[in-house]
Amino acid sequence: YTVEAPGLRDATRVQYALHEAVHVLAHPVVPPKSCPRICLGTFQAKYGTGFGEGATQVITESIMNDQNISRYYRDQPYEAFTAPVREIIRIFSLDKFARAYFWGEIDEFTKIMEARWGDAWRNVANFTSAKETKLALAEITRLEAAHQQGIWNRGPKGDFPSPSRFSRIA
């Protein structure tokens, strides 16, 4: 994470420094046998650049808001990633998202996304990584509408009898 901040030359802004600090503290790296030149954390490796950078920037902006630090008005290289990530956080909860991002609980987060949206959550991740913010938000809207209609509700498969009224006694 010692790469020069995007769009800046010979300058450091609090926003970029804080963004990089959040990267260092977040989405832990589970190192393989050999790590490539830049090791991605488990979160960004699973969900892509869009979710990874978007989450980092949303957290950065939250810290800045709490500290009354304003965003730099001209250069916003992560802007395309933040809107879809904010929607993901709103839908799946800050707690579940933060557990995946900070503690690497990506399997659990993937399961809740798949339970709600099926494998189509990958479309949102891909659109976000491609900086197609409008397409990502439209896909989220479409998936949420399908969820409201019960299309993605996945109960257990098979024949499960109703519990017996004598189950307490047994």
Side-chain angles (χ1 to χ4, degrees):
Y1 298 114
T2 58
V3 194
E4 183 178 294
L8 293 179
R9 299 197 192 348
D10 303 322
T12 302
R13 303 216 187 282
V14 172
Q15 179 175 335
Y16 293 106
L18 187 56
H19 180 96
E20 295 307 316
V22 170
H23 269 300
V24 170
L25 297 172
H27 51 90
V29 173
V30 178
K33 292 181 181 178
S34 65
C35 200
R37 185 168 109 32
I38 298 175
C39 283
L40 291 177
T42 54
F43 186 90
Q44 190 161 331
K46 173 73 176 183
Y47 302 118
T49 303
F51 279 16
E53 292 296 337
T56 304
Q57 187 61 23
V58 166
I59 294 163
T60 299
E61 290 174 10
S62 176
I63 294 168
M64 290 172 62
N65 287 339
D66 289 348
Q67 299 298 316
N68 291 321
I69 301 169
S70 60
R71 294 182 344 162
Y72 183 56
Y73 68 98
R74 280 184 30 210
D75 193 16
Q76 296 295 326
Y78 308 109
E79 192 70 28
F81 305 135
T82 56
V85 169
R86 281 192 178 94
E87 279 298 296
I88 297 291
I89 291 170
R90 182 188 65 77
I91 293 166
F92 294 105
S93 89
L94 180 60
D95 180 60
K96 300 264 193 267
F97 193 86
R99 286 177 178 277
Y101 184 81
F102 285 106
W103 295 333
E105 294 181 8
I106 56 173
D107 291 337
E108 294 82 359
F109 190 63
T110 302
K111 284 178 189 173
I112 66 166
M113 284 197 297
E114 286 179 352
R116 189 173 183 114
W117 292 345
D119 284 339
W121 68 265
R122 295 176 194 276
N123 297 339
V124 178
N126 291 336
F127 286 142
T128 305
S129 291
K131 295 185 177 182
E132 296 287 348
T133 307
K134 289 180 182 177
L135 290 175
L137 293 172
E139 183 70 0
I140 290 170
T141 302
R142 185 185 74 76
L143 292 171
E144 277 300 289
H147 172 72
Q148 296 302 323
Q149 293 173 358
I151 292 172
W152 298 113
N153 290 344
R154 299 212 167 113
K157 293 180 179 175
D159 185 22
F160 292 94
S162 300
S164 166
R165 64 180 188 189
F166 301 108
S167 62
R168 279 186 302 131
I169 298 168

